Each structure stands twice: as C-alpha cells, then as structure tokens.
C-alpha cells in the first residue's frame, strides 16, 4: 500500500528466510532484469553509492574550494571538521532553528490536512473546487515566486498587517524583519501547503469500507465513537506515512528560507535553516569538507527521527492485515 | 532534488485503493451543511487570497500596490509586465525558455529510465530483486545533501558547470526513485493474462515492454511527466549551485535578481514576473488535475 508497508514486508520476509528454490527456475529473467535496470544501476553507482562514500571521505578532509573550478587537493584531517562544527554556535543555532521548524510546522500542517480532509465528504457539492483550492498552494509553495510573495504578505505594510488593521491593530512590526517572528512566517508558509498531505488523507479515508460504519451504527455507536474507533485507527498507517515523509522533507527546507531572508538567514540568523547554513558553508565559504560533515550529520539526525518514528509507531499505528 | 514528493504517493494510494465502496449518503441537516460550506469557503479564501493578491498587484501601477491591499481595483495596467520583462539582465522570455528546456529534458529522462526500471521490478524475476527494490525505496528517504557535494565535484570535473547537463543527465539514470515506485505499483495492477498471452505469442521482454506495458501505463507516465515538470520548474537549489552565467538561469533563479536589487526594487515588475513564472505551473495544474488529484483508478484498463 505504501513504500513503508512495502519495506516492512520485505524486512519480515527476509527475517523469515526459508528454503531457497532452484535458482534457474526461480529467476528466469536474470539477464533481462539487469539490462532493464542498467540506467538505474549506473545512477545508483555514479550518483548514489559512489558519492555517498566520497562525501564520507570528504567530511574527514580539509577541502577548500577557493575559486571554482580551481580546487585544492583534499587534506585528510580526521574528525577536525566535526569537532569544529560542533564547537560552532552558529551550527547549533541552525540546528535548533531547523528542529524547531520541523517540530512545530509538521504537526500543525498535518492537523490542518487531516481536519480539512475530514470536512470534505465524497459527493458533496463543490468538492472539486475545494480540493483544488486547498491543493494549489502546495504545488506552488516551493517556488521562488511564492516566497517573494510571502515577503510582502508579512512585510510591515503587507496583507497580514492590513488584515489585522481592520480589527483595529495598528503600529505592527514587519514580521519578516523581526528575529522573534521571521521563523513563524516560514512556518505559516509551510502550513499553507497542507494540500498534498490532505490529498493523501482523502485517499486513505476513501479506503475505509462503509460496512464498518454501518455495522457500528447498527450497534448504536455515535458519531464521536465511530470517529475514534473506526476512522482514526484505520487512518493511522496514513498518518504515520505522512508524518515520516513530511519530517524528512521539512528537514531539507531551503528555498523558503533562502528567499525570505534574501539568502542571509537573517534577521539575526533566525531563519538560518540547516540546509541554508550547509549551502553557505560549501558554496559561499567554499569549505566543502565541513559542508560534507554537515550533510552526514543531517543524514544521522533524519535517520534518528525516522527510526524513532518507526519504533514509536508500534504503539499507535494500527495495521488492518 | 525534490522536497514535495508526497503527491505522487497520493496518486499511488488512489490507484491501489481497493475498497472503493458505495457513496456514503450525507444525511445531515441542511443547516450543518451550510455551516460546513461557509467554513470551507472561508478556508479557500485564506488559501487563495495571497495568490489572487499577487496577480492583481502585478496589474496595478507601482505606487498603488501597497496603498490599497484589497484585490478590488479598477486601475489595471500591463505596464509591470512590459517593464518586468526587460528589467533583468536578459529578457524574461530567455529565463522561461531555459526553465522549459531543463524541464522537458528532465521529463524525457524520467519517462525513459524510470519506466525501464519499473518494468524490471514489477514483471521480471531475477536474482536480488527484493534487495535492489529495498535499496531503491531507501533511496527515496535519503536526503540529497549527502550526495550533493561529490556530485557537484563530479559535474565540475566533467566541465558541466554552467550547462543544463547536471540538471538533466541524472534524470536519465533514474535518480527519482519515487516515479519508479509509482510505475511499479501501476504495472503490478495490470492483469497478468495480457503478459501471458504475449509470451505465448513469442514476444520478448523488449516487445512486452514497448508494445504492451508502455501503452497501458500512459496514466502513470502522464503523472510522472506532470510531477517532473512541476518539480523541475520549481527547483531552485539545483540551478543555484550549477549555473553561474545569468544567461543560463531558469526563471526561478532569475527572480532572485529582483530581491538582490532590493532597495531600488520595482515591486510591480517583480510581481509581474513572479506571476509569469507561476503561470506554466498553473496551466499544468489545470490540465493535469485529473492525474494530480483524482488519481487514475478508473482511467486504467477496463
């Protein structure tokens, strides 16, 4: 049903092991299989596994690209990059900003997505319009144009303050330029793009068989009871799926942070997202060694979050199989 | 280099959805339904207002944009589009054309390489298939930053900086595993009888792939093409690091030029070109809605 479910099945099968059938009969398409996969294998080797190994190596070197394409040969320095990185308060600031962003924006975005998906009944009037209206921002939300728009929405004389002005609030700050609020404007931008998880929730809701509801209704279960005993438990795999993916994506947020802050991560580094800091380390300061170390730390952090998610899912995700 | 991969999975979930039950009849009182619609219309307005404001502002004279924040105005002009088109180093049409070349190249690459891989994973039985399939799925979750710097160095060594090649060639090597997965799910849902019949008629795998699978999986190919277009068109990071020459910029990076020249900024022109950069996305959204939102459960084979 989902890639996560798929992985789970593969893991379970692998654990089971079992007798191996005759290879000639079991694998009649060995040659064709590998031929069809040739482009993918080339990509995996040249752009996947190879670069991963190289990046791990580079993270242990002093690799300063002064003026591309002129490159100094990498200089092996063991864990110096990591040590320097961990001693840099700017690094921890970028890490904190990003984790804060992930922990606030992902649950809020998913809550909106789920709430709106629940409001949209199949066969209701205007369904196509609502669905499109909610989905459109998530299609455009990653673009530079929308980030530019966002700078104006939350500027001192922007739409947001204009809106508050109708309710008598005046003399409001420019939110984008204020260190306490700039991150929040990007969080709002993220919530605004709740359309794509919403569409996944809609698909999930549609897979819940009507007979469950009919049976529960016959047993005298009320609306609330049906919601908490049928809808939510059967939707947990989808919630889990959205949660895992959105956390991974949110950690990699770049464009919004770049454009909203004009590439600086300001004001006062309040929007210095991890990926923006990584970009500046590698491509503005030409320190590719440290940037590689940062990439690996990001991989580990995302891995830890994902692993925790999988572990924790045992306590709340319900599989109907 | 996509961070918004979820929609493809949405479509996948819809395709593989099994329990397409009967419609639930809404039995609510009309009052409740009215309240719901008011709520939904309110949310729709909140969602769309900034976008509508952007479009309207792009049509207002520069000094009007911030004086009046409402979207109702009679004072419309195309002036911003004319000035914005020529405001940057090159006419904006060049940037849009660059975006188009990169996007079309990426689409062709993804369609060819991902469909080949998907056919192998879905229809062929070969040693190590499950292992490679798991590797591919893990690749979906791997943050691209980990391979970013060596990839950059590779393309730099090849002398590909300042060309579209680093943005297009990886697509021919099936690096967007999401689409492989989407297509695998689709091919698996095709009835096996078709393939068995073709096999009896003596068709090889190349024939079964080209003459049977590809025509049947057009909905999955269309979904891939649409999402590849949207993501490539909207990609900012890739072009930002690989392209230096302003004449090579796609629209996304060119727009940045308006922000860099912040102080003396011509807001009207910036908004006008923002709209110009969003327009192709919006058109693809309208044309591709069927694939983007409704999924293609019913458009497959009957």
């Amino acid at each position: 049903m989902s890639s996560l479910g798929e992985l789970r099945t593969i893991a379970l099968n692998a654990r089971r092991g079992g007798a191996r059938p005759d290879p000639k009969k079991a694998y009649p398409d060995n040659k064709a299989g590998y031929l069809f996969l040739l482009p993918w294998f080339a990509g995996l080797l040249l752009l996947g596994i190879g670069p991963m190994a190289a990046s791990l190596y580079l993270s242990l070197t002093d690799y300063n690209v002064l003026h591309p394409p002129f490159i100094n040969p990498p200089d092996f320095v063991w864990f110096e990059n990591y040590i320097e990185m961990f001693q840099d308060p700017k690094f921890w600031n970028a890490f904190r900003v990003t984790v804060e962003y992930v922990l606030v924006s992902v649950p809020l975005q998913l809550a909106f997505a789920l709430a709106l998906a629940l409001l949209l009944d199949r066969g209701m009037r205007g369904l196509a319009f609502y669905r499109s209206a909610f989905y459109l921002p998530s299609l455009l939300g990653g673009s530079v144009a929308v980030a530019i728009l966002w700078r104006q929405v939350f500027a001192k004389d922007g739409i947001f303050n204009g809106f508050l002005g109708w309710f008598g609030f005046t003399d409001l700050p420019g939110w984008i330029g204020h260190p306490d609020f700039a991150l929040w404007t990007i969080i709002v931008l993220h919530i605004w793009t709740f359309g794509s998880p919403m569409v996944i929730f809609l698909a999930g809701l549609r897979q819940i068989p009507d007979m469950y509801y009919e049976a529960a209704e016959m047993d005298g279960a009320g609306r609330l009871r049906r919601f908490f005993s049928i809808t939510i438990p059967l939707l947990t795999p989808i919630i889990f799926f959205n949660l895992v993916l959105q956390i991974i994506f949110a950690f990699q947020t770049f464009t919004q942070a770049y454009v909203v802050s004009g590439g600086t991560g300001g004001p006062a580094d309040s929007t210095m997202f991890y990926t923006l800091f990584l970009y500046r380390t590698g491509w503005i300061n030409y320190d590719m060694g440290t940037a590689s170390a940062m990439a690996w730390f990001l991989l580990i952090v995302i891995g830890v979050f994902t692993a925790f998610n999988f572990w924790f899912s045992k306590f709340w995700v319900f599989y109907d199989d | 280099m996509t961070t918004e991969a979820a929609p493809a999975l949405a479509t996948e979930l819809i395709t593989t959805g099994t329990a397409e039950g009967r419609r639930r009849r809404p039995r609510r009182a009309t009052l409740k339904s009215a309240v719901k619609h008011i709520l939904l219309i309110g949310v729709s307005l909140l969602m769309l207002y900034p976008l509508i404001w952007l479009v309207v502002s792009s049509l207002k004279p520069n000094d009007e944009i911030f004086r009046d924040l409402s979207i109702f105005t009679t004072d419309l002009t195309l002036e911003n589009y004319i000035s914005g088109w020529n405001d940057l180093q090159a006419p904006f049409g060049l940037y849009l054309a660059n975006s188009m070349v990169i996007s079309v190249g990426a689409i062709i690459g993804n369609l060819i390489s991902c469909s080949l891989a998907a056919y192998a994973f879905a229809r062929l039985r070969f040693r190590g298939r499950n292992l490679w399939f798991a590797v591919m799925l893990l690749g979906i979750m791997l943050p691209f930053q980990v391979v970013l710097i060596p990839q950059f160095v590779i393309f730099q060594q090849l002398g590909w900086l300042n060309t579209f090649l680093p943005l297009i060639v990886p697509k021919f090597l099936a690096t967007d595993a999401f689409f492989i997965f989407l297509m695998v799910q689709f091919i698996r849902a095709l009835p096996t009888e078709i393939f068995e019949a073709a096999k009896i008629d003596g068709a090889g795998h190349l024939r079964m792939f080209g003459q049977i699978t590809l025509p049947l999986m057009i909905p999955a190919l269309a979904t891939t093409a649409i999402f590849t277009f949207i993501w490539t068109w909207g990609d900012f990071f890739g072009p930002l690091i690989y392209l230096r020459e302003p004449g090579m910029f796609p629209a996304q990076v060119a727009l940045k030029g308006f922000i860099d020249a912040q102080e003396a900024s011509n807001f009207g022109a910036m908004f006008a070109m923002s709209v110009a950069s969003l327009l192709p996305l919006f058109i693809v959204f309208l044309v591709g809605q069927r694939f983007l939102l409704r999924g293609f459960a019913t458009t497959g084979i009957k």
Side-chain angles (χ1 to χ4, degrees), chain A:
Chain A
M1 187 167 75
S2 64
S3 60
L4 301 177
E6 198 94 35
L7 268 182
R8 194 168 142 265
T9 321
I10 290 168
L12 284 175
N13 285 340
R15 213 177 294 160
R16 270 187 217 125
R20 284 180 187 280
D22 176 25
K24 275 249 170 71
K25 271 185 195 148
Y27 308 115
D29 310 317
N30 262 340
K31 217 170 105 190
Y34 281 88
L35 273 176
F36 272 87
L37 279 181
L38 211 56
W40 181 75
F41 273 121
L44 181 70
L45 201 70
L46 298 174
L47 301 172
I49 293 171
M52 272 181 85
S55 144
L56 194 58
Y57 169 71
L58 284 182
S59 78
L60 302 173
T61 64
D62 200 5
Y63 188 40
N64 293 309
V65 185
L66 290 177
H67 296 287
F70 172 75
I71 303 173
N72 292 329
D75 201 5
F76 201 77
V77 295
W78 287 105
F79 295 101
E80 217 168 87
N81 290 328
Y82 291 91
I83 294 165
E84 269 170 30
M85 179 174 95
F86 290 140
Q87 284 173 344
D88 183 359
K90 287 194 79 154
F91 167 81
W92 287 113
N93 173 67
F95 180 69
R96 186 190 53 77
V97 166
T98 307
V99 170
E100 206 174 299
Y101 169 77
V102 171
L103 291 182
V104 175
S105 71
V106 172
L108 282 175
Q109 189 209 36
L110 290 186
F112 270 88
L114 182 57
L116 269 302
L118 288 167
L119 268 180
L120 291 178
D121 269 338
R122 220 176 328 165
M124 76 185 287
R125 235 176 248 230
L127 172 66
F129 168 76
Y130 293 133
R131 211 175 32 186
S132 306
F134 299 160
Y135 186 65
L136 185 61
S138 66
L139 265 193
L140 310 179
S143 63
V144 171
V146 166
I148 285 176
L149 167 64
W150 225 245
R151 282 161 66 100
Q152 311 314 320
V153 169
F154 288 101
K156 189 161 173 47
D157 48 4
I159 312 178
F160 184 66
N161 280 350
F163 178 73
L164 290 178
W166 296 345
F167 298 96
F169 295 98
T170 50
D171 214 20
L172 296 159
W175 308 94
I176 292 281
H178 195 295
D180 291 343
F181 300 118
L183 179 61
W184 282 91
T185 64
I186 302 179
I187 289 174
V188 172
L189 174 53
H190 188 76
I191 297 169
W192 187 60
T193 62
F194 68 76
S196 66
M198 183 198 72
V199 172
I200 297 179
F201 279 135
L202 277 175
L205 284 171
R206 233 142 265 194
Q207 287 179 31
I208 300 175
D210 281 351
M211 57 178 191
Y212 286 8
Y213 291 103
E214 283 155 14
E217 216 169 327
M218 259 192 278
D219 288 346
R223 280 180 65 92
L224 222 58
R225 183 67 203 269
R226 292 201 298 267
F227 177 70
F228 283 110
S229 300
I230 299 173
T231 312
I232 291 295
L234 287 176
L235 212 56
T236 49
I238 310 281
I239 297 173
F240 173 61
F241 175 78
N242 267 334
L243 191 67
V244 169
L245 280 187
Q246 290 300 330
I247 287 178
I248 294 174
F249 297 151
F251 264 110
Q252 303 180 59
T253 303
F254 177 81
T255 307
Q256 293 85 339
Y258 185 101
V259 178
V260 164
S261 71
T264 64
D269 283 342
S270 60
T271 61
M272 184 61 92
F273 278 56
Y274 195 89
T275 49
L276 182 54
F277 191 55
L278 191 156
Y279 164 76
R280 294 186 65 86
T281 306
W283 278 270
I284 306 287
N285 302 330
Y286 299 124
D287 184 355
M288 293 280 180
T290 307
S292 299
M294 292 184 62
W296 275 91
F297 186 71
L298 180 67
L299 176 73
I300 291 165
V301 169
I302 291 179
V304 167
F305 267 76
T306 308
F308 174 80
N309 246 326
F310 270 85
W311 171 79
F312 195 61
S313 74
K314 282 191 296 194
F315 301 106
W316 65 278
V317 176
F318 169 76
Y319 286 99
D320 192 21
D321 52 31

Side-chain angles (χ1 to χ4, degrees), chain A residues 1-4 6-7 10 23 25-30 32-34 36-37 39-44 46-48 51-52 54-55 58 63 65 68-69 71 116 119-125 129-140 142-146 148-149 151-153 157-159 162 192 194 196 199-200 203 206-207 209-210 213-214 217 223 238 241 246 248-249 252 254-255 258-259 262 275 278-279 283 288 291-292 295-296 298-299 302, chain B residues 3-7 9-10 12-14 17 19-24 27-28 36-37 39-41 43-44 46-51 53-54 66 69 113 116-117 119-121 123-127 132-137 141-157 170 172-175 180-181 185 188 205-206 209 227 230 234 236-237 240-241 244 252 255-256 259 262 267 270-271 274 277-278 281-282 285 289 292-294:
Chain A
M1 187 167 75
S2 64
S3 60
L4 301 177
E6 198 94 35
L7 268 182
I10 290 168
K25 271 185 195 148
Y27 308 115
D29 310 317
N30 262 340
Y34 281 88
F36 272 87
L37 279 181
W40 181 75
F41 273 121
L44 181 70
L46 298 174
L47 301 172
M52 272 181 85
S55 144
L58 284 182
Y63 188 40
V65 185
I71 303 173
L116 269 302
L119 268 180
L120 291 178
D121 269 338
R122 220 176 328 165
M124 76 185 287
R125 235 176 248 230
F129 168 76
Y130 293 133
R131 211 175 32 186
S132 306
F134 299 160
Y135 186 65
L136 185 61
S138 66
L139 265 193
L140 310 179
S143 63
V144 171
V146 166
I148 285 176
L149 167 64
R151 282 161 66 100
Q152 311 314 320
V153 169
D157 48 4
I159 312 178
W192 187 60
F194 68 76
S196 66
V199 172
I200 297 179
R206 233 142 265 194
Q207 287 179 31
D210 281 351
Y213 291 103
E214 283 155 14
E217 216 169 327
R223 280 180 65 92
I238 310 281
F241 175 78
Q246 290 300 330
I248 294 174
F249 297 151
Q252 303 180 59
F254 177 81
T255 307
Y258 185 101
V259 178
T275 49
L278 191 156
Y279 164 76
W283 278 270
M288 293 280 180
S292 299
W296 275 91
L298 180 67
L299 176 73
I302 291 179
Chain B
T3 52
E4 197 54 55
L9 268 246
E12 178 265 315
L13 280 169
I14 296 165
E20 191 63 40
R22 280 171 298 115
R23 247 184 180 205
R24 232 172 293 145
R27 284 187 299 158
R28 290 172 193 82
K36 195 154 110 177
H37 277 286
L39 195 66
L40 287 171
I41 290 169
V43 178
S44 309
L46 269 180
M47 298 294 285
L48 297 180
Y49 194 91
L51 293 173
W53 182 83
L54 176 70
F66 289 106
L69 295 172
S113 65
L116 282 171
Y119 180 79
F121 281 129
R123 299 254 16 123
L124 301 177
R125 281 180 295 154
F126 54 92
R127 192 186 290 268
W132 295 123
F133 193 64
V135 168
M136 184 204 71
L137 289 180
M141 291 182 223
L142 186 83
F144 72 87
Q145 286 85 358
V146 178
V147 290
L148 179 69
I149 289 158
Q151 280 190 6
F152 180 82
V153 175
I154 291 171
F155 293 132
Q156 188 188 42
Q157 294 296 308
F172 281 84
L173 301 179
T175 46
I180 304 180
F181 181 65
Q185 295 299 97
R188 276 185 188 163
H205 283 303
L206 214 56
F209 171 71
F227 275 112
I230 289 167
F236 175 65
F237 192 83
L240 180 70
I241 64 169
R244 295 285 154 83
Q252 293 292 319
L255 278 178
K256 189 174 76 82
I259 308 172
Q262 205 172 10
F267 280 106
M270 178 166 81
F271 291 159
S274 291
S277 81
L278 290 178
L281 286 179
F282 187 66
F285 169 72
Q289 270 224 54
L292 288 168
L293 297 172
R294 241 176 282 160

